[in-house]
Amino acid sequence: KLMHFGRIVLSLTGGFFAEFVNKLVPLLILRFVVQKIGVGGFGNAQFGYWLIDMAVAFVVFGYTTVAAVEIGQNRDDPVRLSAIVSEVLTLKVLHSVFAFAGLMAILAAIPTYTQYRPVVLALSFILATSALDLSYVHIGTSRMLSLSLLTIGVKLASLAAILIFVKDEGDLILFA
């Protein structure tokens, strides 16, 4: 019972630290990027990101929550776990393809959005990574510490990449 309590405390500590990093890194990025690419460039990148983020909601579509519950209920059945992961991945990949096609249609249909096409194309990998995201497996199997550590690592790596590679307004796509 003490071991279970220790695991909960460790998972919660990791989760809180991951959330702290999730809140701090964007503030650091904002300060640095506005200096390098200007407010207009930052605005373009953010609008492109917003378009992608709207499409991500269609890709994840509640699968993460439902799959985490299903995995939690079937954690001792490796065949069922494999089937759940396979089904969810397939559906999310299909949704990401449709979401990308929908974004391209929106950019083509609204002439003022044409300027955001390069940013949206640069950020479209987010649709694929959202489709391939397996965080629901970590949640369903109660391995939250590993998920927290992964989140922290990705955020810090993106901050480091921006600090190293973004130099001026010409790096807008690189920032995105």
Side-chain angles (χ1 to χ4, degrees), residues 64-77 80-82 84-85 88 134-142:
T64 300
T65 305
V66 172
V69 170
E70 286 288 317
I71 286 173
Q73 292 171 346
N74 295 285
R75 75 174 66 207
D76 297 326
D77 183 355
R80 182 65 187 133
L81 289 177
S82 178
I84 293 167
V85 171
V88 171
L134 295 173
S135 61
Y136 57 90
V137 175
H138 293 278
I139 295 167
T141 57
S142 301

Side-chain angles (χ1 to χ4, degrees), residues 45-55 113 123:
Q46 286 302 106
F47 188 76
Y49 181 76
W50 176 80
L51 288 170
I52 290 288
D53 204 35
M54 293 297 290
Y113 282 15
L123 292 171

Side-chain angles (χ1 to χ4, degrees), residues 18-155:
E19 274 306 303
F20 174 75
V21 170
N22 277 337
K23 302 301 183 218
L24 180 63
V25 168
L27 291 174
L28 295 173
I29 290 172
L30 174 65
R31 170 92 168 103
F32 177 77
V33 170
V34 168
Q35 286 179 337
K36 298 293 183 176
I37 65 174
V39 174
F42 182 74
N44 281 347
Q46 286 302 106
F47 188 76
Y49 181 76
W50 176 80
L51 288 170
I52 290 288
D53 204 35
M54 293 297 290
V56 165
F58 178 70
V59 173
V60 296
F61 207 64
Y63 292 124
T64 300
T65 305
V66 172
V69 170
E70 286 288 317
I71 286 173
Q73 292 171 346
N74 295 285
R75 75 174 66 207
D76 297 326
D77 183 355
V79 174
R80 182 65 187 133
L81 289 177
S82 178
I84 293 167
V85 171
S86 179
E87 290 168 13
V88 171
L89 279 175
T90 300
L91 289 169
K92 287 172 65 177
V93 166
L94 288 172
H95 278 198
S96 71
V97 170
F98 289 130
F100 180 76
L103 276 175
M104 292 301 105
I106 289 169
L107 292 174
I110 303 172
T112 56
Y113 282 15
T114 305
Q115 65 181 325
Y116 303 109
R117 185 182 321 253
V119 173
V120 170
L121 287 172
L123 292 171
S124 62
F125 75 92
I126 294 172
L127 294 172
T129 58
S130 295
L132 300 175
D133 173 40
L134 295 173
S135 61
Y136 57 90
V137 175
H138 293 278
I139 295 167
T141 57
S142 301
R143 292 192 207 130
M144 295 304 296
L145 181 60
S146 59
L147 181 60
S148 296
L149 293 174
L150 180 64
T151 301
I152 291 167
V154 168
K155 284 287 185 175

